[in-house]
Amino acid sequence: MPELPELEVVKEVLARRLVGCRVTRVDVAPKGGPIVVRDLTGRGFAAQLSDQRLEAIERRGKFLLFRLSPPARSGSLLVLAINPKLSGRLQLCLADAPKAGPVQVTLHFEALREVLRYVDSKRMGQIYLTQDPAQIPTFAEMGPEALQVPMEEFRSRLTKFRGEVKGILTRAAFVAGIGNAYADEILWQAQLHPYRKRTSLSPGEIEVLYLAMRQVLESAIEQVRREMGEDIHLKPRDFFAVHMREGKPCPRCGSAISAITANQQITNFCRTCQPGGLIRGM
Ligand SMILES: [Zn+2]
């Protein structure tokens, strides 16, 4: 489940290694490939990508955007948008390297020994080919980037969303890039119970939450950059304070970390550091 920090580092690595390269061939695995691929151009996924030159790689929320230009300016610009969701990942490796999981799509490049694989054990992610990312479902409704939204905008946007603070943090329409794991880390940093109602947060607590969001995401990018290196299929998370650390000691107070599962998503937090909340299932 890559979120903003992992995708930001994957983007950096791929931009350094692949920008300027020309796609020579795209393989879509007969099994699974058609499930993840969405050709919004209607002109053929692999056929459209062949011969395109990779001009830039960007990240928007939990999407990676590969901007491509056609040979000899014979057509319009294309965007390959990858949203790995819960189980997808990218692998940049030699063509005969062991697979990091079931491979759905492989991109081959001119004069490059490595290939780029999309690997997704649950085939939940999606790969769109489009001339306009606004065509991608929910893309246009995404809120500002979590690391770019100013404090006052964060505060005013928050008033438009109802419910529990963790649920709001993970909604891309509020701010883009935060998922289940980093929401737990941010709320632990802010010492806020994940099930606190948004309407119960004081102005001071909202400021603390905003600063915790920035601090957690910025330091995670640095940590992931160090641990991932060029192995973009890895998901370094051993530095987490609470997420997936049920029963282990809280790094701040030593209490055992709690876990609650709701809607098939686990929430980890420290009952001592993050008290209160309108608590369900406890
Ligand atoms: Zn604690």
Side-chain angles (χ1 to χ4, degrees), residues 136-152:
I136 298 169
T138 75
F139 194 93
E141 292 103 68
M142 240 188 294
E145 285 291 317
L147 279 177
Q148 286 172 8
V149 61
M151 165 101 79
E152 283 318 308

Side-chain angles (χ1 to χ4, degrees), residues 82-100:
I82 302 182
N83 180 15
K85 298 230 177 130
L86 277 176
S87 51
R89 56 178 99 179
L90 290 163
Q91 184 182 17
L92 183 65
C93 59
L94 295 175
D96 58 356
K99 298 179 174 77

Side-chain angles (χ1 to χ4, degrees), residues 116-273:
L116 182 65
R117 293 173 179 160
Y118 178 78
V119 175
D120 195 336
S121 58
K122 295 185 179 161
R123 296 178 294 194
M124 289 170 77
Q126 264 140 18
I127 304 180
Y128 298 92
L129 187 64
T130 179
Q131 287 169 336
D132 177 9
Q135 288 186 323
I136 298 169
T138 75
F139 194 93
E141 292 103 68
M142 240 188 294
E145 285 291 317
L147 279 177
Q148 286 172 8
V149 61
M151 165 101 79
E152 283 318 308
E153 190 183 343
F154 180 86
R155 195 187 287 285
S156 65
R157 293 183 67 78
L158 197 54
T159 62
K160 299 181 187 123
F161 293 84
R162 305 192 77 78
E164 294 152 350
V165 61
K166 178 172 176 182
I168 297 172
L169 270 185
T170 57
R171 286 182 65 173
F174 171 52
V175 291
I178 300 170
N180 192 44
Y182 279 96
D184 280 357
E185 294 296 295
I186 290 164
L187 290 164
W188 177 82
Q189 182 67 35
Q191 301 192 50
L192 292 173
H193 192 290
Y195 293 162
R196 281 280 298 276
K197 293 285 184 195
R198 187 271 295 165
T199 47
S200 80
L201 297 177
S202 70
E205 285 174 325
I206 292 171
E207 182 173 345
V208 167
L209 176 63
Y210 174 81
L211 295 173
M213 174 181 78
R214 294 197 61 97
Q215 186 190 334
V216 165
L217 295 176
E218 281 171 357
S219 81
I221 289 171
E222 287 177 24
Q223 191 79 25
V224 170
R225 201 182 275 138
R226 271 197 298 274
E227 294 191 25
M228 189 186 267
E230 305 281 298
D231 294 324
I232 58 170
H233 56 285
L234 300 180
K235 201 170 64 180
R237 292 189 157 183
D238 54 347
F239 55 88
F240 277 3
V242 287
H243 187 70
M244 300 307 282
R245 288 175 49 82
E246 180 181 4
K248 299 206 169 75
C250 165
R252 188 189 286 119
C253 74
S255 304
I257 289 161
S258 298
I260 297 175
T261 301
N263 304 324
Q264 295 173 326
Q265 286 205 315
I266 195 160
T267 289
N268 294 111
F269 64 107
C270 171
R271 286 168 199 267
T272 307
C273 295

